[in-house]
Amino acid sequence: MAEVPTAVIAATGLVGGYATARWTKKRPLGGVALAAAGAVAARGWQQKAGNATAAALSGAYVAAFAGSHPLAKKIGAWPSVFAVAGGVALASWVAVDRRK
């Protein structure tokens, strides 16, 4: 079975976390989805590229989540979420996934 790229996991976590929070109207539930995908992505980053890369990409994941909030005030919620998810996915692909 093919392995899911870490870029897809990270982007799905950011988009899925927001979607879960928005549609269920339960922000903590969205946080659980966000954190779970982040943990899976971080494990993949660590296994494929080492601790330093995993730490850097985990920091980018958290920064993207935090940065999406002020960005949403400028461009809207969904465009903000897609923008930061794309940024993290690109960083993950460049640092980890393209190596395969």
Side-chain angles (χ1 to χ4, degrees):
M1 187 168 173
E3 189 174 315
V4 178
T6 59
V8 173
I9 296 167
T12 300
L14 288 161
V15 174
Y18 175 69
T20 300
R22 181 164 182 146
W23 289 326
T24 65
K25 298 188 181 355
K26 294 181 179 7
R27 290 180 68 165
L29 190 57
V32 168
L34 176 81
V40 171
R43 182 171 170 91
W45 294 327
Q46 191 275 328
Q47 289 175 341
K48 295 176 184 176
N51 292 333
T53 301
L57 289 171
S58 294
Y61 186 81
V62 171
F65 167 69
S68 69
H69 292 82
L71 184 59
K73 292 179 182 178
K74 296 182 188 282
I75 66 172
W78 280 110
S80 173
V81 170
F82 287 129
V84 300
V88 170
L90 179 61
S92 180
W93 180 80
V94 167
V96 179
D97 296 328
R98 74 177 171 148
R99 294 180 180 185
K100 260 192 155 182

